[in-house]
Amino acid sequence: RPLGLATCFIGVAVDDDDGAFLVREAKEAGVDWLLPLHPKQGGACTGRCLVVVDDETRDRTLVTIRGPSHVPSRASLDAPNVVDAIRNSEVIYAAAFVLSTPERA
């Protein structure tokens, strides 16, 4: 448990090497991974984000390949384990672009 807190991740990763890496690392760190890996189809890959930070100004630039991993489906968010995790949470963090991007079919 990170910092002694029960934590979970509610997000999507593809069933590829990067997705498997994320799930494995999260579980090793004590983070519950709540959603199954998304099937690898149509060239889909787990999202990635490169962060470039300017040494002098500390400004940052993010280069993101979101793939299908940016928005969990409505059905996945209605899964009993996800609903329970959300209801029992004291703190929820969501990236802003996840809240402002329409669901993909």
Side-chain angles (χ1 to χ4, degrees):
R1 293 183 150 192
L3 304 174
L5 303 172
T7 58
C8 67
F9 177 79
I10 303 169
V12 180
V14 172
D15 191 3
D16 59 11
D17 290 342
D18 292 330
F21 171 80
L22 290 173
V23 172
R24 182 179 62 251
E25 292 297 311
K27 288 181 178 180
E28 286 180 11
V31 176
D32 291 331
W33 190 281
L34 297 185
L35 300 179
L37 290 173
H38 188 281
K40 186 175 182 179
Q41 53 189 328
C45 65
T46 295
R48 296 172 184 85
C49 184
L50 170 69
V51 180
V52 180
V53 180
D54 182 284
D55 285 340
E56 190 172 304
T57 64
R58 306 307 296 161
D59 289 338
R60 61 191 170 109
T61 300
L62 286 73
V63 180
T64 305
I65 300 171
R66 292 162 64 180
S69 60
H70 73 290
V71 179
S73 69
R74 167 91 49 199
S76 65
L77 295 177
D78 288 336
N81 65 330
V82 174
V83 171
D84 288 344
I86 293 170
R87 282 190 179 143
N88 295 319
S89 294
E90 293 182 33
V91 176
I92 296 175
Y93 169 80
F97 66 83
V98 171
L99 299 175
S100 62
T101 304
E103 182 177 350
R104 291 185 185 173

